[in-house]
Amino acid sequence: MKPFLYVTDLHGDRGKYERMLGYAREIGAELVINGGDIAPHARHPEDQGRFYREYLGPFFERCQEAGIRYLTLTGNDDLGVFDELLDRICERTPLVTHLSRRMVEADGYWFIGMNLVADVPFPLKDRARMDTAGCVPGKQLGAGVLSTPDGFREIPDWAEYAATLPSIEQELDALPVPPDPARTIYVTHGPPSGNGLDRVHGGFNVGSAATLAFIMRTQPLLSLHGHIHESPAESSIWLARVGRTVCIQPGQIPGELVVVVGDLGSMSFERKILPMEQAVL
């Protein structure tokens, strides 16, 4: 079986996208999975829309031309107002799938995406949810906002608003059910708690207990995560197990590209840190 490539948290870095595609071609990968936070940070919402139209669309076309199956997920920094635009761009290239809260079959395996995260302190709340029903938001870094076609809309009371939304636990339960968990890969942007894949600077663990419980209950073959860029450096852990499930969180490093090369047949995985000066443009 040919290797696949997993990457996450590129945040619109075009050099990293180019390096990723070049490396996928180099190793003969026919499957690339992007675990979320795909667009640049948006001081102005239209920055992300422009990135989707001007760069990501042509990038997907090059993946298509290279024969690469590309599964992409949004993350907590990707504005929800552009989800339909991302859908339209992905639909133009048959080998590309927008996986957020959807299921797709590829090479005899089922891939299911989850782009929501347990509450974050940052203002953008498009993808934020309470981890379980009844949770109380933690300390926030300013007022919460949601993306709209007219710009950002402030949420007067985030705790009150969050209580009206399904929790991460409920959203996970609402995902499509695969026919065979033993051949299922979940791609959830937020990592589970309790196994070193969720450690931020200062040594705090910020992962989702609901995600951990979901993995323990469903026991998929593999779960892929991101969101906490520094976690592997802080915990020295990028691969862990929850029962029979292998869980991977490669992190991401400024100025370098972090990827995981995997083989689902042998269930072997290798985390690689690739220098950016070798980017293929």
Side-chain angles (χ1 to χ4, degrees):
M1 185 174 187
K2 290 193 174 183
F4 75 88
L5 204 62
Y6 177 61
V7 67
T8 185
D9 297 287
L10 297 186
H11 288 280
D13 188 321
R14 299 185 184 199
K16 291 194 175 189
Y17 272 95
E18 297 296 332
R19 182 70 174 105
M20 172 183 65
L21 179 55
Y23 189 66
R25 287 169 167 160
E26 179 184 329
I27 66 173
E30 294 182 348
L31 173 65
V32 172
I33 306 165
N34 189 318
D37 279 351
I38 60 178
H41 293 286
R43 292 184 179 179
H44 305 286
E46 184 51 32
D47 292 345
Q48 290 196 5
R50 189 176 303 111
F51 173 77
Y52 287 148
R53 288 189 295 266
E54 296 179 0
Y55 180 77
L56 207 55
F59 175 83
F60 289 160
E61 291 171 5
R62 288 191 286 136
C63 291
Q64 177 81 22
E65 292 167 2
I68 294 173
R69 187 82 167 89
Y70 193 97
L71 310 180
T72 192
L73 193 71
T74 52
N76 57 289
D77 277 337
D78 299 322
L79 304 183
V81 71
F82 294 117
D83 284 353
E84 290 185 7
L85 173 61
L86 180 60
D87 280 341
R88 292 196 300 271
I89 290 171
C90 290
E91 287 166 1
R92 296 204 300 258
T93 43
L95 291 181
V96 177
T97 298
H98 180 194
L99 195 63
S100 299
R101 283 180 277 175
R102 296 167 179 164
M103 178 170 66
V104 66
E105 185 273 336
D107 296 327
Y109 294 89
W110 295 95
F111 294 82
I112 302 171
M114 172 59 165
N115 60 341
L116 305 175
V117 299
D119 184 41
V120 292
F122 311 112
L124 182 62
K125 299 299 186 183
D126 285 3
R127 317 290 185 191
R129 301 287 189 273
M130 294 298 99
D131 200 34
T132 57
C135 281
V136 177
K139 183 179 180 180
Q140 302 292 304
L141 300 174
V145 298
L146 298 173
S147 67
T148 78
D150 299 317
F152 292 114
R153 175 173 67 86
E154 186 170 312
I155 306 169
D157 187 329
W158 166 236
E160 180 181 359
Y161 181 76
T164 69
L165 302 173
S167 66
I168 292 293
E169 181 179 44
Q170 292 166 325
E171 295 280 11
L172 287 167
D173 286 341
L175 290 175
V177 177
D180 183 2
R183 297 185 69 81
T184 297
I185 294 90
Y186 282 95
V187 188
T188 76
H189 185 64
S193 62
N195 55 13
L197 303 180
D198 62 338
R199 192 164 301 172
V200 298
H201 294 305
F204 300 102
N205 299 315
V206 296
S208 164
T211 301
L212 177 65
F214 180 79
I215 294 170
M216 290 179 67
R217 186 176 79 251
T218 59
Q219 288 290 277
L221 178 69
L222 178 67
S223 68
L224 303 173
H225 311 280
H227 187 38
I228 312 300
H229 300 200
E230 69 272 28
S231 184
E234 293 292 319
S235 67
S236 299
I237 298 170
W238 62 270
L239 184 151
R241 289 184 179 273
V242 175
R244 298 185 302 274
T245 302
V246 175
C247 306
I248 289 175
Q249 209 286 57
Q252 200 52 254
I253 297 174
E256 296 176 294
L257 175 67
V258 183
V259 301
V260 167
V261 179
D263 185 308
L264 293 174
S266 62
M267 287 299 287
S268 59
F269 307 95
E270 184 177 4
R271 180 176 182 258
K272 291 183 173 289
I273 300 175
L274 307 176
M276 291 302 297
E277 61 267 21
Q278 296 179 25
V280 178
L281 300 178

